[in-house]
Amino acid sequence: MQFDNSYSRLHSSFYSKVEPTPLANPFMISWNRNLAYELGLEGMQPEQVANHFGAMEPMPGSEPIAAAYAGHQFGHFVPQLGDGRSILLGELLAPSGQRWDFHLKGAGPTPYSRRGDGRAVLRSTIREYLCSEAMHGLGIPTTRALTIVGSEEEVYRESLEYGATLLRLSPTHIRFGTFEYFYYKNQFDHIPQLIDHLVQYHLPDLQDVAEKERSMAFFREVSKRTAALIAQWQLVGFSHGVMNTDNMSVLGLTIDYGPYGFLDHYDPNFICNHSDHTGRYAFNRQPEIAQWNLSCLGQTLLPFISDDVEQGKAQLVEEIECFQERYQQHFNQGFSNKLGIEQYQKEDQRLHRQWLDLLEQQQVDYTLAFRILCHTHSEQEPVALFELFSDRAVVIGWFKRYQKRLAQQQMTPRQVTTLMLAHNPKYILRNYMAQQAIEAAEQGDYGEIERLLKLLQAPFDEQRDLDRYAEPPPQWAKSLSVSCSS
Ligand code: AMP
Ligand code: MG
């Protein structure tokens, strides 16, 4: 295992040196074999995993630190957040050359823990583990998760739970909030340093950009990646739940899985986080919030865009305004592909809108409706599709217009199906599925975690023996609520 620690070579204001705090009687719960293979860690034994990521036995070359950052939480600026219960053990250099932060969540208190205990409970590590791998399986940029280590350490949340750690991997954990931290502390010099660091290790395409243009080029890159990311969330029906600026990755990755949720029936106003009383982070507000968050990041770059402040401001505003269009382009093209239309055309807007309206009005399961459409788009009487709708007359009308549109392109029905199957997952991580895995794990049975991991790493494939997971959620799942506590 080869570690490098580029982040700890930055100025000491970027982080604090810390030591992880061992968990009581740790044991490995799950190990992500696919990812371990990519990292060249397939030979690692469960005892070693528990030793390093539970008992906190140091790994050679590791220099543990907690990173400092700030952030806008629910619209309000908090000047100091930072890794309060995550510790960056080091950066692993994989055989492919890829650099991976080994970020251990639940590793004990740090100088940024405020009143928190620095721990994570088993419940929340399972939710993050499964969802980050599910997102990866869906082809959506995300942090990854290598292992869950459980323990006998008691951790208090609403009730007594057990502490666990999650080993989270990401090329870097730099967030919008990292920039805000230095900007609001008036440590302006650190901002170009942070950009240089990102360019050197993570954004090599910006290496050739002239010094003067770098901040703007960096901002444009973040904005483009964020637009693409949010479009993917919207297309798959993913709601993040806590889109604070400290939970926004500058690499455009999904990060920090808390009270997230996937849509069951299509409800654009869906709020997955029960602590979000105003619906700031409701499903359909995610693009607008991402843009708002980008404006927070942009603000921190203002001193570096141009010598003329007004001109710099104008450039930033212009760039922020591009977000909406970029997002819409990704979304429209992706939505067309979900419907089996290869090339989006402006006139398709109506067809898109009407389909979503139908799903919303008749409370139809979002994932299931698309997946059934993959197999029924060329039928005269698509019974399986119509069965999803209580009012069939309107859906029949839409379906005729849809078939007419499909007929305009030069594709065989089979080709249309292939296109659709690649854009419409059969399996998503519904809340009740994570809940079942959690309840079993709390009783010491980890089989469901393994089953779901395997299922969700290949969500577009037919996995006949696991077909029950493609159904809408059972009735009891309707009352499940997810809080921020983790
Ligand atoms: P999150 O809601 O997970 O994005 O966390 C927001 C901030 O609270 C971050 O700075 C976390 O590190 C910190 N935090 C959350 N839970 C804990 C905890 N149990 N102990 C210490 N810090 C925490
Ligand atoms: Mg966070």
Side-chain angles (χ1 to χ4, degrees), residues 7-294:
Y7 207 74
S8 47
R9 291 197 290 274
L10 289 169
H11 188 272
S12 60
S13 4
F14 283 79
Y15 57 84
S16 297
K17 289 197 177 211
V18 283
E19 290 302 327
T21 312
L23 277 172
N25 300 327
F27 51 94
M28 191 186 90
I29 288 185
S30 184
W31 176 247
N32 183 349
R33 273 193 209 88
N34 292 357
L35 181 56
Y37 186 78
E38 273 179 54
L39 301 169
L41 296 182
E42 61 276 17
M44 212 161 165
Q45 297 303 310
E47 305 75 52
Q48 290 175 292
V49 174
N51 268 344
H52 289 307
F53 310 124
M56 311 302 176
E57 188 184 298
M59 279 175 300
S62 151
E63 286 176 27
I65 56 168
Y69 53 82
H72 277 85
Q73 296 192 313
F74 288 87
H76 303 285
F77 184 64
V78 183
Q80 171 127 8
L81 290 164
D83 290 333
R85 51 145 164 198
S86 291
I87 292 180
L88 175 58
L89 299 177
E91 299 158 33
L92 180 96
L93 298 178
S96 62
Q98 174 66 57
R99 180 178 290 268
W100 288 107
D101 274 5
F102 264 38
H103 214 245
L104 192 61
K105 205 163 174 175
T110 77
Y112 312 111
S113 297
R114 291 169 294 166
R115 283 184 299 277
D117 56 11
R119 292 301 188 197
V121 293
L122 179 59
R123 168 176 53 85
S124 68
T125 56
I126 294 173
R127 282 179 56 86
E128 176 151 1
Y129 185 73
L130 291 177
C131 197
S132 49
E133 287 310 294
M135 294 294 264
H136 180 70
L138 290 165
I140 301 177
T142 177
T143 60
R144 306 288 305 275
L146 182 60
T147 186
I148 300 176
V149 172
S151 78
E152 290 176 5
E153 183 135 338
E154 296 184 338
V155 173
Y156 292 89
R157 292 296 179 257
E158 280 95 7
S159 61
L160 184 62
E161 299 189 50
Y162 284 113
T165 56
L166 175 87
L167 187 58
R168 178 164 75 185
L169 271 62
S170 177
T172 178
H173 280 76
I174 299 175
R175 306 141 194 268
F176 290 15
T178 316
F179 282 82
E180 292 178 289
Y181 179 74
F182 294 116
Y183 180 78
Y184 288 97
K185 274 182 103 169
N186 292 330
Q187 292 184 330
F188 296 127
D189 288 354
H190 291 331
I191 291 174
Q193 284 167 16
L194 204 49
I195 296 178
D196 287 347
H197 172 85
L198 281 161
V199 172
Q200 182 177 354
Y201 294 106
H202 307 288
L203 301 168
D205 289 353
L206 301 188
Q207 242 149 19
D208 297 332
V209 177
E211 189 85 21
K212 245 175 73 205
E213 313 282 329
R214 252 194 184 183
S215 307
M216 198 63 210
F218 164 71
F219 185 64
R220 185 171 301 123
E221 180 66 25
V222 180
S223 182
K224 280 183 181 172
R225 288 176 181 231
T226 306
L229 175 72
I230 307 297
Q232 285 184 279
W233 286 3
Q234 302 308 111
L235 288 166
V236 81
F238 174 79
S239 193
H240 180 284
V242 199
M243 284 178 71
N244 294 334
T245 55
D246 51 304
N247 292 339
M248 297 288 292
S249 151
V250 292
L251 297 187
L253 310 172
T254 314
I255 184 170
D256 251 343
Y257 293 87
Y260 66 81
F262 282 86
L263 297 182
D264 290 313
H265 70 269
Y266 181 69
D267 172 11
N269 300 308
F270 174 60
I271 302 165
C272 58
N273 178 357
H274 284 248
S275 321
D276 182 6
H277 303 295
T278 62
R280 178 179 172 87
Y281 298 139
F283 176 71
N284 60 355
R285 292 200 65 196
Q286 296 188 125
E288 144 199 12
I289 288 291
Q291 190 179 30
W292 191 89
N293 288 343
L294 278 163

